[in-house]
Amino acid sequence: MDTVFGFVGKDFALVATDCGVAYSIMRFSDTEDKIMAVDDNKLFAMGGEIGDRLNFGEYIQKNIHLYTFRTGIKLNVREAANYTRSELAYAIRNGPYQVNLLIGGFDEEGPSLYWLDYLGTLQKLTRGAHGYGAYFVSGLLDNWFKPDLTLDEGIELVKKCINEVQTRFLMSQKNFVVKIVTKDGIRVI
């Protein structure tokens, strides 16, 4: 019952998730941060079962750090997205993770957003969403997104998307966390 969405603006990438953790008919928490900072310029916004989400996210994060430590080379956003896709695709035949991701980041090529599902399908997008909330926010993202979106316009778009999910979605998703990544790093909005 996750809601994960994001988009890129003129000089930033933004991702947002709901904060709810539920299983079957029980709600466990409304304060879970489902956005992981991989390093100082990459964010993983994840949806899926809590165990798979935490296990896979930490596995990728630690392996990216290990690669940087061993080689002294920091992966850009595209390279990190492709590494993540290969690990998720490999896991399909060994021990699948039920995790969907939006990978947002900022590097020498500017802001970027990658959509990755649990089957290992990877696509670079300007806007995207996962989970049940995607049914509600996709139309808003299509109508209000523009390539040269400013940060203030992006924040207004996020407010519209969150309001739409909270108004129309059957499940109560009270809290959301929104993070942006710019050339200056990551911050929470």
Side-chain angles (χ1 to χ4, degrees):
M1 301 292 176
D2 297 310
T3 299
V4 179
F5 64 93
F7 50 86
V8 293
K10 184 170 32 175
D11 56 356
F12 66 92
L14 181 148
V15 291
T17 66
D18 70 293
C19 295
V21 177
Y23 182 75
S24 184
I25 61 170
M26 294 192 325
R27 181 185 347 207
F28 296 120
S29 174
D30 284 324
T31 58
E32 181 79 16
D33 186 354
K34 299 178 186 177
I35 303 175
M36 176 179 285
V38 177
D39 57 23
D40 60 346
N41 72 334
K42 287 183 264 320
L43 293 169
F44 282 6
M46 298 181 283
E49 298 297 326
I50 187 169
D52 286 348
R53 190 177 71 241
L54 292 175
N55 191 14
F56 183 72
E58 288 180 4
Y59 171 75
I60 295 297
Q61 180 190 46
K62 302 307 180 203
N63 275 289
I64 288 174
H65 285 214
L66 180 62
Y67 178 83
T68 303
F69 178 71
R70 283 182 175 167
T71 65
I73 299 169
K74 186 175 176 181
L75 296 177
N76 65 28
V77 181
R78 182 183 53 80
E79 293 165 343
N82 280 292
Y83 169 71
T84 306
R85 188 215 64 80
S86 69
E87 289 296 320
L88 202 50
Y90 177 78
I92 290 173
R93 288 167 180 78
N94 296 315
Y97 294 103
Q98 297 297 316
V99 179
N100 296 310
L101 297 98
L102 286 178
I103 302 169
F106 194 98
D107 55 24
E108 63 278 351
E109 297 174 11
S112 55
L113 181 73
Y114 289 86
W115 185 94
L116 177 61
D117 72 358
Y118 72 100
L119 296 172
T121 305
L122 179 68
Q123 183 63 45
K124 185 175 182 178
L125 303 171
T126 56
R127 59 198 177 276
H130 278 296
Y132 283 116
Y135 293 112
F136 304 105
V137 302
S138 293
L140 285 170
L141 291 174
D142 286 342
N143 286 335
W144 293 96
F145 177 81
K146 58 185 181 180
D148 59 343
L149 203 65
T150 66
L151 184 55
D152 291 335
E153 292 170 331
I155 292 170
E156 285 304 311
L157 179 53
V158 166
K159 288 178 184 178
K160 288 177 185 180
C161 290
I162 291 172
N163 183 52
E164 190 73 13
V165 169
Q166 290 176 336
T167 302
R168 298 190 180 276
F169 191 35
L170 175 70
M171 298 293 293
S172 172
Q173 293 182 335
K174 301 178 211 173
N175 302 324
F176 280 77
V177 64
V178 181
K179 295 183 182 181
I180 67 163
V181 59
T182 64
K183 64 177 170 44
D184 300 322
I186 296 169
R187 58 184 182 153
V188 179
I189 296 181

